[in-house]
Amino acid sequence: MPAKCKFCDRPAFIKLHYPRMYLCEEHFKEYFERKVRRTMERYKMLKPDERVLVAVSGGKDSAVAAYILKKLGYKVECLHINLGIGDYSEKGERYARRQCEKIGAPLHVVRVKELLGHGIGEVKTRRPTCSYCGLTKRYIFNKFAYDNGFDAVATGHNLDDEASFIFNNIMNWNTQYLAKQGPVTPAGFNGKLVKKVKPLYEVTEREVVAYALASGIEYEIEECPYARGATTLEWKEILNQMEEKRPGTKINFVKGYLRKRHLFEAELKEAELRECKVCGMPASGEVCSFCRFWGLKEPIDFRVKRQ
Ligand code: Q46
Ligand code: ZN
Ligand code: ZN
């Protein structure tokens, strides 16, 4: 006998481990949406009239984040950053376009190669590819939101991402990274650092995959060719094994961290921020790391002309 949904007669679509129950497709979608809405309320992520920019990569997490924010009634626009990493980036952009059509949210696209002359991976530098990729993505995402007056930016980080990030940084005693991680990063530096929110903070990767499937959201599965070894995946694997044995391990670990986060504050080495001489955005030296890395002499203006 196939298992039945806890709330109706339909066959089970998924077996949840924590809380333990079988749900049909419809009741799973309802459960997932309610969970995300509650997370957003608990951490006071967005006010109803705030405009939010979602960074859609073409992958599942950001697509689900954008889809659900729209479904919950928020004013959503999306930004896709094409990193210029060959076929991988072209595919990602195609998925992002399809996802935003389905979601019914406007999509903006920034192409790193056209904007800065080189794609990620094509710059001659000693800096690791992922390090300057990360700084480039963070800068563009934040500056785009700031230039266009968004109140917040949302990313697709899920519970597994957060738990493995914390786990990894504890195992390596990178305590300075543990002082500021969380579901919401408030705006700062006179609004030039736009508020960051993570609506999927309390749902697992497995739930995100199931929700994408149940909602007909297609996404890129291929991994970036520069994806660093598998350490994050190894931490995720260990946490998944623990979760199997002790359901609730991940959520309890992350919630416990949020309660104890203040213990790491003494480790925070926050450099005094000042305005970058080139672009005016926050910098720890005279010029911000983005303008310095890309050798900019003029700021980039991301303002979109509205019809
Ligand atoms: S940082 Fe590195 Fe990612 Fe950039 S170069 Fe690819 S793997 S995309 S999350
Ligand atoms: Zn049901
Ligand atoms: Zn700058």
Side-chain angles (χ1 to χ4, degrees):
M1 261 278 284
K4 266 193 194 168
C5 173
K6 179 176 177 181
F7 300 110
C8 70
D9 279 340
R10 280 178 291 219
F13 165 73
I14 187 169
K15 178 187 178 189
L16 295 180
H17 303 297
Y18 189 79
R20 223 183 170 80
M21 59 184 170
Y22 289 95
L23 293 177
C24 70
E25 208 170 291
E26 284 316 301
H27 282 116
F28 170 68
K29 279 202 274 185
E30 238 176 59
Y31 161 85
F32 186 94
E33 287 158 14
R34 193 171 50 237
K35 199 161 161 187
V36 173
R37 184 158 35 88
R38 283 200 188 143
T39 304
M40 295 187 66
E41 284 164 6
R42 179 172 310 125
Y43 300 108
K44 300 188 175 57
M45 287 191 186
L46 292 173
K47 297 192 195 96
D49 56 340
E50 284 186 317
R51 287 177 62 224
V52 56
L53 181 70
V54 187
V56 289
S57 61
K60 64 179 186 323
D61 300 291
S62 49
V64 165
Y67 180 86
I68 202 157
L69 283 172
K70 180 84 182 170
K71 201 160 179 190
L72 295 175
Y74 291 101
K75 293 177 192 152
V76 179
E77 293 186 28
C78 298
L79 172 65
H80 175 74
I81 303 176
N82 182 316
L83 299 167
I85 308 179
D87 261 7
Y88 167 74
S89 290
E90 293 315 307
K91 245 192 186 169
E93 186 177 327
R94 281 200 297 275
Y95 272 108
R97 285 189 189 282
R98 245 186 277 159
Q99 291 163 350
C100 289
E101 263 170 42
K102 177 173 170 67
I103 294 163
L107 173 68
H108 309 280
V109 177
V110 170
R111 293 197 182 82
V112 170
K113 197 165 177 163
E114 287 169 22
L115 189 72
L116 299 160
H118 297 280
I120 299 297
E122 297 175 348
V123 184
K124 284 206 181 73
T125 172
R126 294 166 75 146
R127 211 173 159 145
T129 309
C130 287
S131 146
Y132 74 83
C133 175
L135 104 86
T136 303
K137 282 193 286 193
R138 277 193 301 276
Y139 180 91
I140 295 176
F141 192 26
N142 181 69
K143 178 83 159 50
F144 188 100
Y146 175 70
D147 284 352
N148 290 291
F150 284 92
D151 301 292
V153 297
T155 55
H157 293 93
N158 60 45
L159 180 62
D160 295 50
D161 297 325
E162 296 303 305
S164 63
F165 177 89
I166 300 164
F167 194 22
N168 182 20
N169 285 310
I170 288 179
M171 293 304 277
N172 291 295
W173 294 114
N174 291 330
T175 40
Q176 73 282 11
Y177 292 147
L178 291 167
K180 283 180 76 179
Q181 196 66 11
V184 179
T185 310
F189 206 74
N190 293 325
K192 285 189 175 179
L193 288 173
V194 179
K195 173 166 74 170
K196 314 257 171 347
V197 300
K198 299 173 184 168
L200 307 183
Y201 198 79
E202 293 180 330
V203 288
T204 63
E205 192 156 318
R206 184 169 167 264
E207 289 170 332
V208 175
V209 171
Y211 186 80
L213 180 69
S215 309
I217 299 171
E218 291 176 41
Y219 55 89
E220 182 170 32
I221 301 170
E222 207 179 301
E223 271 244 41
C224 169
Y226 298 105
R228 290 153 279 210
T231 45
T232 333
L233 290 180
E234 284 164 14
W235 296 126
K236 282 188 176 174
E237 184 58 43
I238 294 172
L239 287 163
N240 279 335
Q241 285 169 14
M242 281 306 290
E243 185 76 30
E244 282 266 311
K245 282 190 208 147
R246 295 177 191 278
T249 296
K250 283 185 236 176
I251 190 74
N252 290 329
F253 178 55
V254 169
K255 285 195 165 171
Y257 158 74
L258 291 177
R259 281 195 300 274
K260 299 288 181 193
R261 188 173 48 179
H262 61 278
L263 297 176
F264 297 105
E265 263 164 25
E267 296 283 322
L268 204 56
K269 291 187 204 92
E270 220 164 1
E272 182 94 16
L273 291 181
R274 46 177 140 160
E275 283 190 1
C276 166
K277 229 170 52 185
V278 178
C279 71
M281 298 303 276
S284 48
E286 281 212 337
V287 176
C288 75
S289 47
F290 178 83
C291 292
R292 199 172 348 118
F293 182 82
W294 291 101
L296 298 189
K297 301 281 171 276
E298 300 276 325
I300 300 174
D301 184 351
F302 288 104
R303 270 175 300 176
V304 175
K305 287 177 203 76
R306 308 243 164 205
Q307 280 91 25

